[in-house]
């Protein structure tokens, strides 16, 4: 017997079932960010000892697989002693009582890589056509496919179509099931990729943005363009390396490295497709079109192309252009006849995700000098206007996606997403996803962690209020009840245990700050060197895109020094523009052409090889910058902090 | 220790190895017509008992898997007692001494479905282009595929090419292996389907004719059209049914029936591809183009299309037109990017094989009224000229392919291929494949069986010489040493045991004659009903195509009554025209278009539903026919036999 507390769900599971699997079987919601890779540590549970013993049954802990080495890093010694285990690796081998702590309970997810509400002209690659056929008779034994071809010509004016091989295989069954009335899905006016019995108006497509750390999927109805469901997950490849270079290295140093990473992402994409399909009440195999974006390394890995040559000079990719391949050839389990459209890549690591940003933001149609910052584990920058566009990329790390931050979490209910700190009292107020009130209005906030926008806010506010210095060091000279030396060094208590849902203080510590500095410093230095390249000293406009873009506060971002000074009126967040670009390409074939055109026009610059990159990077680690002026921040940062 | 006699080859094999596999490992040539399906019974071996016992080792027979039920049908009781076993099902489990009888020894095969020496205009679908690329540099990091595209345009004027997904995956490796010089294989001027390092002139294609009983493959060099290798095998589907209807029934009555039959033929095709590739000294994956023909049932099964609707009224196929699919999607293990071109089908069971005959013989370009007979397990007939063409099909059974004939065999060395019988003495003389002399010139002929043309000859000659009557009955009133009542009823001894290589008399018995009568009767009746349909009473020309077409003697065929009377000068055999058609389509894309055009123009007639088909069939069972006149046979058949 397995019992989950506090829900009380109970039942029997097969010996060897992991706790995560058991939770699914028994309908218990348990967090699993990393897809059971034992890398996120978010599925911790506590084994309640002594419960069964009271009834004369052996000890619960004997009924689990032994503690594994990879579990240990997620547990401070004392919690381990309390019987905590990682659900995704722990197997059940008998009766056990499991307590799911608040922080491990799955909330209804807020997709951090949420789709922005954009107006998209709809001109999809896949369109449905309903046809009525004359039944075969002894006088007319025309084959089913020719019969459909004739009807498509007579009833819709379509000619010279091919038929997908897999679709052909079930054609006769489908035609008879529909009593000689069927709906035919035609791709690009060229190929029949699906046939369904009867009349079917809707058709479905999935746009996917494969980030280094986070993967987001957008399920759309193709004829209306309507967004039906979104979902995200951690990129299962994180177990092979945190950033693009470490994944490329993994492929180079392991015989089956590429295969393993490709399998991981393909399985992840299938899971994601299943999730959004379930949300929309359709089947995964109803998905008849698919677009995908990602940086160059992600692109090569999800396409199953050996990424070694993009990891060493002179870094040429296998191809730049978009490519249409049968989704089944990639291992995707959507409609068997569907194509996957992989958007083009630019150069270096500036990949299809940035192309997505381009077709979403269209800087190539604008006069003003625009900087687009796409914030992710691999950050990408585009600078220019309709005259000229340059791009670059930099490794920022996953800090803004909640990873490598002690209380970092994804944008789910309970995540602190907004923070303000009173410069005088140093007391914070914050907002939590799923709750409209601020923490100074309500005692029990139910906070469980801090998501990306919350991290950006809290760091900026800690700087403004003098809790951290311009260098990023925590000001240990401040005597304040929220500041203390904890297990991981100095930290600032953002939320007291009694305000949280996890029963412990939520803090920001020195290493959290360092992770943010590295990320923002790389972005800033990149932007500055690109401005130098184009010979400009002022930005007309800054667009903040990325994983959490829609939640970012432009002012906090500039205070923190994510990008050079700009009129704050002209800085705005657009959400996950890469994902939006994938969605735009899904819904409009003209934009696919535009993507190919502009992907080739953007000029890639490799900034890290510039002589003085290191110097610029070091200067940009400061808040907001070691030397640069920020006229538009005047009055927003106290005098005491602007001096060094 | 396993020892094969008489070769004396010996060695150790793993327990559980079949005798066939052991023979391969030890280099012993053992016949295996049916592809180890335990259906042809041609791999019989004798286990030599008492050999090892002499050396104090246990009995050999204990060292084999027990006799299986399916083996038994191939053994008369007395041979079973002598220790005969079927090599393909018998597993070795210890020391054993195996004697391979002469008839089970594999000869170098004469491809019965041999390719005819035809002049074919060469305009292949796949062409090779050699390109030299500029190496990638830090200044020019253009992707490999774009680099190749630019070179193809600049050096060969090719534009807007796509690249096969699987080919893309290894592109960068190949380019570097070739030091930026590669040969690109382009399909239909549209798609790059293979890239090889360096300069490669040759490219290879495989044309396949899937008969109901026999499968033939033709490996060609595409740029020259040269035929490099041919091979044939028994269709592995024979285990699921002898003829097309029984295979369709198998698919309808077994849940995984289609899958099993499709797997069988696909595996067979892969084996065949491997064999011809080995003959030509290339690898299977060097094959970059593939064409395939077969009757409608074979077509649906090799395409993996559920064949049930072609088996019940009104018999519409899934499609008529030719289709190009990725060979890998069909499970074919040739070049991963290669396409398979499945030729179109006509109607009813008149399939792509007959289309192959059409484009090989081109009756649609002729004035004279031509009958084309394609002899196989499923016989197909085409009648007409450039004004109009009609086609039909009939189930003839595999008699002319050597099956269902007691001493029937395929056209390999040792097969009796020509027979003459003296009308006075009733003594035969015969010729054997691999030997230019007649049997009356040489005592030891080494005959092992009778192949299709030999069967046709011997039956015609038995009729002419009065050994069989006009009705087909063996004339038991003749008192002749070669005529006797044997195990299987009355029989005529064609070769005495001491002339053969198998140590037993080779005979023709009453049931052999009946099988031939059924086959030829169906053909004749079909031809006659088609002539009635076109309102003609005379044939200008008869073309004999099929499995053994090139060996057939037109005169013997007409004496036997395979087709209505015709000037013997105008009757000729063309070999396996269906296979030739597949080869023509492989080498010339214009003929692929022609195939589609004429496949739709030929009018299919379903003869078996005609009211008086049975009557015509019954009359045509007679030699040469119950009633019809054969002016062109005058003087060739004795008076005594022409009367009833």
């Amino acid at each position: 017997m397995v019992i989950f507390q506090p829900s009380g769900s109970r039942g029997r599971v097969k010996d060897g079932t992991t706790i995560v699997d058991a939770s699914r079987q028994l309908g218990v919601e348990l967090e699993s960010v990393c897809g059971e890779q034992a890398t996120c540590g978010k599925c911790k549970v506590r084994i309640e000892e002594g419960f069964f013993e009271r009834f004369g049954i052996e000890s619960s802990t004997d009924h689990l697989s032994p503690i594994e080495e990879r579990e240990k890093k997620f547990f401070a010694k004392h919690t381990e002693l309390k019987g905590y285990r990682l659900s995704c690796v722990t197997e059940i081998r008998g009766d056990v009582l499991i307590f799911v702590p608040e922080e491990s309970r799955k909330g209804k997810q807020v997709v951090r890589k949420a789709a922005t509400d954009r107006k998209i002209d709809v001109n999809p690659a896949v369109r449905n056509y309903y046809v009525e056929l004359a039944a075969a008779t002894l006088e007319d034994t025309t084959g089913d496919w020719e019969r459909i071809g004739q009807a498509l010509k007579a009833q819709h004016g379509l000619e010279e179509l091919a038929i997908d091989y897999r679709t052909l295989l079930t054609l006769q069954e489908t035609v008879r099931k529909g009593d000689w009335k069927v709906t035919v899905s035609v791709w690009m006016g060229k190929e029949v990729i699906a046939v369904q019995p009867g009349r079917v108006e809707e058709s479905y497509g999935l746009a996917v943005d494969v980030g280094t750390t986070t993967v987001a999927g957008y399920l759309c109805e193709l004829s209306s363009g309507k967004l039906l469901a979104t979902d995200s997950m951690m990129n299962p490849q994180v177990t092979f390396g945190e950033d693009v270079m470490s994944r490329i290295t993994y492929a180079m140093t392991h015989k089956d490295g590429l295969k393993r990473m490709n399998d991981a992402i393909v399985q992840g994409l299938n899971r994601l497709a299943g999730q959004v399909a379930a949300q929309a009440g359709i089947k995964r195999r109803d998905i008849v079109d698919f677009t995908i974006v990602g940086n160059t390394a992600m692109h090569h890995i999800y396409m199953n192309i050996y990424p070694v040559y993009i990891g060493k000079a002179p870094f040429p990719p296998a191809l730049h252009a978009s490519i249409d391949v049968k989704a089944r050839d990639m291992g995707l389990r959507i409609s068997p006849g569907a194509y996957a459209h992989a958007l083009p890549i630019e150069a270096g690591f500036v990949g299809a995700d940035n192309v997505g940003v381009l077709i979403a933001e269209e800087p190539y149609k604008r006069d003003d000098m625009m900087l687009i910052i796409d914030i992710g584990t691999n950050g990408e920058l585009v600078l220019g206007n309709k005259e000229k566009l340059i791009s670059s990329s930099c490794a920022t790390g996953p800090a803004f996606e909640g990873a490598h931050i002690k209380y970092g979490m994804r944008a789910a209910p309970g995540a602190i997403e907004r923070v303000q700190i009173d410069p005088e009292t140093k007391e914070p107020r914050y907002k939590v996803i799923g709750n409209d009130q601020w923490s100074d209005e309500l005692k029990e906030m139910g906070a469980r962690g801090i998501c990306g926008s919350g991290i950006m806010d809290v760091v900026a506010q800690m700087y403004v209020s003098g809790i951290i210095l311009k260098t990023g060091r925590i000001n240990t000279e401040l005597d304040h009840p929220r500041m203390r030396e904890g297990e991981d060094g100095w930290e600032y208590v953002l939320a007291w245990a009694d305000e949280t849902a996890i029963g412990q203080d939520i803090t920001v510590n020195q290493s959290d700050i360092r992770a943010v500095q590295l990320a923002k410093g790389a972005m800033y230095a990149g932007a500055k060197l690109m401005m130098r390249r184009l010979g400009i000293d002022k930005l007309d406009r800054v667009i903040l895109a990325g994983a959490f873009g829609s939640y970012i506060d432009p002012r906090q971002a500039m205070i923190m020094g994510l990008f050079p000074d700009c009129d704050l009126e002209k800085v705005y967040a657009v959400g996950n523009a890469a994902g939006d670009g994938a969605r735009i390409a899904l819904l409009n074939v003209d934009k696919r052409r535009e993507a190919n055109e502009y992907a080739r026009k953007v000029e890639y610059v490799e900034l890290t090889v510039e002589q003085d990159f290191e110097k610029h990077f070091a200067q940009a680690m400061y808040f907001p910058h070691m030397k640069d002026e920020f006229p538009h921040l005047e009055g927003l940062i106290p005098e005491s902090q602007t001096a060094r």
Side-chain angles (χ1 to χ4, degrees), chain A:
Chain A
M1 173 70 76
V2 178
I3 305 176
F4 280 96
Q5 294 286 34
S7 69
S9 310
R10 65 192 65 200
R12 297 198 179 280
V13 299
K14 247 174 76 177
D15 263 23
T17 306
T18 62
I19 296 177
V20 162
D21 283 336
S23 76
R24 289 202 191 103
Q25 289 172 29
L26 302 176
V28 175
E29 296 265 286
L30 191 54
E31 189 65 272
S32 171
V33 174
C34 68
E36 297 165 48
Q37 299 293 330
T39 54
C40 73
K42 302 295 186 195
C43 66
K44 274 178 255 183
V45 294
R46 196 172 67 234
I47 308 306
E48 303 286 301
E49 308 226 33
F51 177 81
F52 285 98
E53 287 83 334
R54 269 175 264 156
F55 304 97
I57 301 171
E58 295 168 74
S59 163
S60 288
T61 42
D62 294 347
H63 293 174
L64 297 173
S65 54
I67 289 179
E68 295 185 27
E69 214 35 61
R70 54 187 174 150
E71 286 181 81
K72 291 186 180 167
K73 64 177 166 191
F74 299 107
F75 303 109
K77 276 248 158 55
H78 64 283
T79 54
E80 192 178 331
L81 289 175
K82 282 185 196 153
Y84 275 87
R85 294 298 301 273
L86 220 50
S87 305
C88 62
V89 303
T90 307
E91 290 176 12
I92 295 168
R93 296 178 179 173
D95 299 318
V96 65
L97 178 65
I98 297 162
F99 182 80
V100 183
E102 174 64 27
E103 72 262 34
S104 300
R105 282 175 218 154
K106 198 178 195 165
K108 185 171 164 1
Q109 193 190 346
V110 176
V111 178
R112 201 161 46 168
K113 287 197 167 185
T116 315
D117 192 16
R118 290 176 187 273
K119 199 186 152 341
I120 302 174
D121 293 332
V122 175
N123 181 20
V126 177
R127 289 174 185 272
N128 279 0
Y129 297 92
Y130 171 73
V131 288
E132 300 192 353
L133 312 173
T137 61
L138 274 171
E139 287 67 44
D140 176 13
T141 61
T142 303
D144 286 31
W145 166 233
E146 278 74 15
R147 210 170 276 276
I148 287 175
Q150 287 161 11
L152 283 170
K153 185 174 173 184
Q155 296 165 35
H156 300 284
L158 291 168
E159 280 189 79
E160 307 220 345
L161 296 176
I163 181 165
D164 169 65
Y165 176 52
R166 289 284 295 273
T167 305
L168 175 66
L169 301 189
T170 50
L171 190 66
Q172 293 195 303
E173 291 293 316
T174 308
V175 164
R176 278 146 192 85
K177 205 169 160 193
D179 195 22
W180 304 89
K181 297 175 193 70
V182 291
T183 298
V184 177
S185 298
V186 178
W187 176 78
M188 300 295 277
K190 286 182 197 166
E191 181 181 325
V192 170
I193 57 159
V195 180
Q196 297 174 76
R199 186 191 287 272
V200 183
E201 300 289 352
E202 295 78 21
S203 60
Y204 306 97
L206 178 61
V208 169
D209 165 29
V210 178
T212 312
T213 304
T214 309
V215 180
Y218 308 91
L219 183 73
C220 300
E221 198 285 304
L222 295 175
S223 65
S224 63
K226 199 177 153 199
L227 179 67
L228 301 181
T230 65
D231 207 342
S232 74
M233 61 176 188
M234 185 175 273
N235 187 331
Q237 293 170 355
V238 292
T239 92
F240 304 104
E242 288 279 340
D243 53 40
V244 294
M245 268 318 295
S246 59
R247 301 220 188 129
I248 290 170
T249 305
Y250 187 85
M252 290 167 68
T253 53
H254 292 77
K255 200 170 174 300
D256 59 347
L258 171 60
K259 184 182 181 319
R260 290 172 71 171
M261 289 191 289
N262 178 260
D263 283 353
I265 185 64
V266 168
Q267 283 172 28
L269 291 174
N270 285 330
R271 209 158 55 227
L272 190 64
Q275 287 164 7
V276 290
Q279 277 184 46
I282 64 165
K283 291 199 189 72
R284 193 164 63 179
R285 53 178 295 141
D286 295 334
I287 298 170
V288 292
D289 203 9
F290 185 92
T291 53
I292 187 165
V293 300
N295 63 49
T296 304
M298 293 305 104
H299 169 277
H300 275 46
I301 298 173
Y302 60 64
M303 296 307 291
N304 204 19
I305 298 170
Y306 192 47
V308 59
Y309 302 108
I310 54 169
K312 58 186 188 192
F315 314 107
L319 86 169
H320 298 277
S322 68
I323 184 166
D324 294 300
V325 309
K326 284 286 170 185
R328 63 175 184 257
D329 279 348
M330 288 175 66
L332 298 173
R333 295 171 177 269
I334 56 174
S335 177
Y339 278 91
H341 177 84
L343 272 83
I345 57 178
E346 296 172 28
F349 288 128
V350 183
D353 51 351
N354 199 254
V355 175
V357 173
L358 282 184
I359 61 169
E361 295 305 321
E362 302 180 337
Y364 44 76
K365 292 184 181 172
R366 291 183 165 266
D367 291 311
D368 49 356
M369 191 54 65
M370 185 192 277
L371 173 69
I372 306 176
I373 303 184
D374 190 7
I375 305 159
T377 308
N378 195 66
E380 284 161 6
L381 299 159
V382 175
L383 179 67
N385 56 17
K386 69 182 181 192
E387 303 297 327
K388 185 179 176 82
L389 285 169
I390 62 173
S391 68
S392 187
S393 72
C394 49
T396 46
F400 293 137
E401 301 183 61
H404 284 209
I405 300 290
K406 187 172 182 186
Y407 286 93
M409 69 175 284
R410 57 181 179 170
I416 294 173
E417 58 167 344
R418 283 275 158 272
V419 180
Q420 292 173 354
I421 299 179
D422 186 300
E424 299 304 316
T425 65
K426 322 287 186 216
E427 281 298 317
R429 64 200 287 260
Y430 58 87
K431 270 177 83 172
V432 158
I433 292 179
N435 195 336
D436 278 342
Q437 289 175 288
W438 285 85
S439 60
D440 50 359
E441 298 160 349
L442 184 76
K443 178 70 186 163
E444 286 179 20
M445 290 299 286
R448 293 169 55 211
I450 317 170
C451 70
S453 59
I455 291 163
M456 207 172 283
D457 272 13
V458 74
V459 172
Q461 290 288 299
M462 284 168 79
Y463 166 62
V464 168
S465 59
I467 299 168
I468 52 176
L469 304 173
K470 199 171 166 65
T471 58
R473 281 204 66 79
I474 290 181
N475 185 356
T476 55
E477 289 168 16
L478 279 181
D479 179 25
H480 193 276
R482 287 187 181 264
M483 298 185 65
R484 65 189 187 198
E485 206 166 356
E487 255 177 21
D488 303 298
W490 277 89
E491 62 191 17
Y492 171 78
V493 180
L494 177 56
W496 297 109
D498 61 356
E499 303 161 28
T500 73
I502 58 171
Q504 47 190 292
D505 299 342
I506 292 173
T507 61
V508 179
N509 63 33
Q510 186 67 62
S511 73
D512 295 342
I513 308 280
R514 286 289 175 232
V516 168
Q517 281 182 283
L518 286 167
K520 80 100 187 170
M523 290 300 221
Y524 191 104
K528 218 175 145 188
L529 286 166
M530 288 170 76
M531 288 168 70
R532 186 174 76 182
R533 178 70 71 110
L534 284 194
I536 58 167
D537 54 8
K538 195 181 134 317
L539 297 170
D540 295 332
R541 188 180 295 270
V542 175
I543 292 179
L544 303 170
F548 51 65
S550 56
Y551 297 106
I552 230 176
D553 180 337
R555 184 168 24 182
Q556 307 298 338
M558 199 157 99
I559 287 174
M560 203 180 62
L562 188 65
F563 49 88
D565 186 65
C566 183
D567 180 355
L568 275 169
E569 297 280 301
K570 296 290 184 63
V571 181
Y572 51 95
V574 295
N576 183 18
D580 289 344
R583 193 157 54 95
I584 290 167
L586 178 70
L587 296 174
N588 192 327
V589 291
D590 302 323
K591 295 296 269 188
R592 297 186 186 184
R593 285 181 212 109
E594 206 171 292
N596 271 312
E597 183 186 345
Y598 289 102
R600 296 307 293 134
K601 286 191 181 163
V602 175
E603 188 184 307
Y604 174 73
V605 290
E606 180 60 53
L607 295 175
T608 51
V609 299
E610 303 249 336
Q611 257 188 338
D612 48 1
F613 176 79
E614 291 299 331
K615 184 189 82 185
H616 282 281
F617 183 32
Q619 292 180 351
M621 293 265 288
Y622 285 71
F623 292 109
H625 188 271
M626 186 177 173
K627 293 179 171 173
D628 288 356
E629 303 286 323
F630 286 82
H632 290 100
L633 288 182
E634 207 180 299
L636 293 174
I637 306 175
E639 199 71 19
S640 59
Q641 286 291 69
T642 53
R644 192 176 164 190

